Amino acid sequence: MNPVRIQSCLASLWPDLLDYIVAMNAQDEHRIGDLGTDAPSILDDLSEIPDPVHQAFLVALDEQTGTVVGALGIESDLTVGRAWLHGPFVDRPSHGWDAVADSLYARAVEVIPSEISEHELCIGVHNHRVERLSLIH
C-alpha cells in the first residue's frame, strides 16, 4: 500500500478536494446522502459551515504524489452536542480503503470537541463501505 498522510485541508487544496468530492459523490457506491452531486449543490449543502469551508475537511494525501485519495468533512454544533460527518470518501484500493477511512475517522475524533458525543452520517443506500465503518465505530 502507498503511504498516506492525513491533514487538515489547506486553501490551496480546496479546488482539487471539491473536484474529488464531486467525482466521488456522483457514484452510488461512494454517495454521501446529505451532499449533492455537482459543485454548486455541494457548496450550497455546505453553506452552514463557517467560512472558510475548506477548514472543515480532513484530507488523505498520497505521500509520494500529493494527490487527494480520501476526505472527511466535519460540521459540528456544541449547542446540540452533535457532529455531522461528510464522508469518508476513499477511492484508491492501492491505499487500502479501510486503513484510509479509519485514519480519517480517528483524526476526526481528535479534532471534534470533546463536548460532542454524537456523530451522524447520512450515506447513500449503496455506500456499503461507509455503512460497515459506521457499525464498527
Side-chain angles (χ1 to χ4, degrees):
M1 285 191 284
N2 295 352
V4 171
R5 178 177 70 249
I6 307 296
Q7 68 178 54
S8 297
C9 183
L10 304 173
S12 60
L13 287 172
W14 178 241
D16 290 339
L17 179 57
L18 183 57
D19 289 345
Y20 176 81
I21 293 170
V22 168
M24 293 292 288
N25 218 39
Q27 302 171 56
D28 286 341
E29 67 271 18
H30 297 291
R31 174 126 340 114
I32 298 302
D34 57 357
L35 295 179
T37 56
D38 59 39
S41 64
I42 289 172
L43 289 171
D44 185 57
D45 294 334
L46 298 174
S47 65
E48 304 256 338
I49 296 174
D51 283 333
V53 69
H54 72 272
Q55 291 181 348
F57 279 85
L58 299 170
V59 293
L61 301 172
D62 181 296
E63 289 241 8
Q64 296 171 345
T65 66
T67 305
V68 175
V69 297
L72 178 62
I74 305 162
E75 184 177 349
S76 57
D77 186 332
L78 287 171
T79 60
V80 296
R82 180 178 299 155
W84 295 268
L85 304 179
H86 305 291
F89 296 100
V90 181
D91 71 331
R92 306 271 171 90
S94 61
H95 295 85
W97 195 96
D98 291 330
V100 174
D102 284 340
S103 294
L104 284 164
Y105 184 76
R107 178 67 65 86
V109 169
E110 292 173 7
V111 300
I112 293 171
S114 61
E115 299 87 355
I116 293 179
S117 59
E118 190 175 324
H119 302 164
E120 184 174 305
L121 290 166
C122 180
I123 59 175
V125 296
H126 300 289
N127 194 338
H128 302 298
R129 284 184 164 155
V130 174
E131 178 184 27
R132 187 177 69 240
L133 179 78
S134 72
L135 296 174
I136 295 168
H137 297 284

